[in-house]
């Protein structure tokens, strides 16, 4: 099992604009001719072959993911369907018991902090991989020593300002050289191991 900090990032280090829109950094999701599913069969990506192969191999091992309440609210929990893997763990201060899919969707809500959220995702993942979405939650997990690898899907876009990949209070961290680099259409995929 590997715990991976992951997101698509602009060249200047942002995962979204200040208003949470992603603009052209997600263009690679529809820049090709190959349909691929990260987990949800109702939401295919239409990428280039290189990205499709990358997604099938690496995202195909993901069984659970950790997100923050902000992303959960922004996406409405993807209507109860995990975007990748089988289960989502949401780190939140309050459990959204009024959410339309509460109790029926494969979502677990954790209020005890990032360590507990990652542990819950690991329990749910079995021998599969766990993702932690970049941003403030991802930065907290990295600072706490919970991240094994960092995956950056680097888009050839400069946003200028927005939400940072490692959050607003990232701790200094040294990564190994990338062990995988996959050039795709409108994206380059990188994987780094966290230096221990």
């Amino acid at each position: 099992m590997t715990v991976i900090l992951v997101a698509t990032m602009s060249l200047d280090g942002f995962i979204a604009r200040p208003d949470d829109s992603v603009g052209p950094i997600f263009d690679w999701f529809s820049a090709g001719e190959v349909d691929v599913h990260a987990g949800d069969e109702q939401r295919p990506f239409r990428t280039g072959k290189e990205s499709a192969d990358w997604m099938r191999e690496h995202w195909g091992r993901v069984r659970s993911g950790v997100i923050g309440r902000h992303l959960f609210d922004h996406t409405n929990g993807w209507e109860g369907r995990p975007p990748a893997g089988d289960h989502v763990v949401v780190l939140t201060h309050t459990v959204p018991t009024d959410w339309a899919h509460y109790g029926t969707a494969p979502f677990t809500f954790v209020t005890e902090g990032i360590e507990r959220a990652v542990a819950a995702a690991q329990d749910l993942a079995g021998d599969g991989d766990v993702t932690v979405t970049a941003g403030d939650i991802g930065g907290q997990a990295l600072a706490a020593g919970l991240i094994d690898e960092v995956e950056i899907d680097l888009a050839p876009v400069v946003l200028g300002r927005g939400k940072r990949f490692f959050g607003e209070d990232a701790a200094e961290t040294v990564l190994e050289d990338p062990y995988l680099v996959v050039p795709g259409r409108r994206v380059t995929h990188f994987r780094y191991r966290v230096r221990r």
Side-chain angles (χ1 to χ4, degrees):
M1 170 189 303
T2 304
V3 179
I4 308 155
L5 174 60
V6 60
T8 298
M9 182 179 81
S10 67
L11 289 174
D12 52 344
F14 299 110
I15 58 174
R17 294 172 173 148
D19 67 357
D20 293 318
S21 64
V22 294
I25 67 173
F26 278 7
D27 283 357
W28 72 275
F29 287 164
S30 58
E33 63 288 334
V34 181
D35 283 342
V36 63
H37 302 270
D40 182 355
E41 292 298 317
Q42 297 180 35
R43 285 190 294 252
F45 297 92
R46 192 160 183 79
T47 69
K49 180 184 180 322
E50 297 82 3
S51 291
D53 291 347
W54 164 267
M55 291 170 72
R56 287 185 187 115
E57 180 179 352
H58 296 282
W59 292 10
R61 291 194 294 260
V62 173
R63 293 292 166 264
S64 65
V66 179
I67 66 170
R69 179 62 185 267
H70 185 80
L71 180 58
F72 172 82
D73 288 344
H74 182 69
T75 63
N76 192 33
W78 301 281
E79 298 302 330
R81 299 187 317 267
D86 306 316
H87 206 95
V88 176
V89 174
V90 182
L91 180 58
T92 181
H93 292 293
T94 57
V95 177
T97 55
D98 59 343
W99 181 46
H101 307 286
Y102 183 77
T104 59
F107 282 63
T108 298
F109 298 92
V110 171
T111 59
E112 294 89 8
I114 190 64
E115 292 86 354
R116 179 68 195 110
V118 171
Q122 289 173 311
D123 289 345
L124 292 162
D127 61 355
D129 289 345
V130 171
T131 60
V132 178
T133 301
D136 289 335
I137 295 296
Q140 290 173 28
L142 185 65
L146 304 173
I147 300 297
D148 300 311
E149 297 185 2
V150 174
E151 176 182 316
I152 297 173
D153 301 310
L154 188 64
V157 173
V158 175
L159 289 183
R161 56 193 180 96
K163 309 288 176 103
R164 297 196 166 282
F165 185 96
F166 294 101
E168 293 302 318
D169 298 310
E172 182 176 315
T173 304
V174 178
L175 307 177
E176 299 295 343
D177 292 334
Y179 72 90
L180 278 171
V181 179
V182 178
R185 195 170 301 162
R186 304 299 309 150
V187 68
T188 303
H189 308 281
F190 293 91
R191 272 279 182 101
Y192 304 84
R193 291 184 179 93
V194 176
R195 185 176 289 177
R196 300 285 186 204

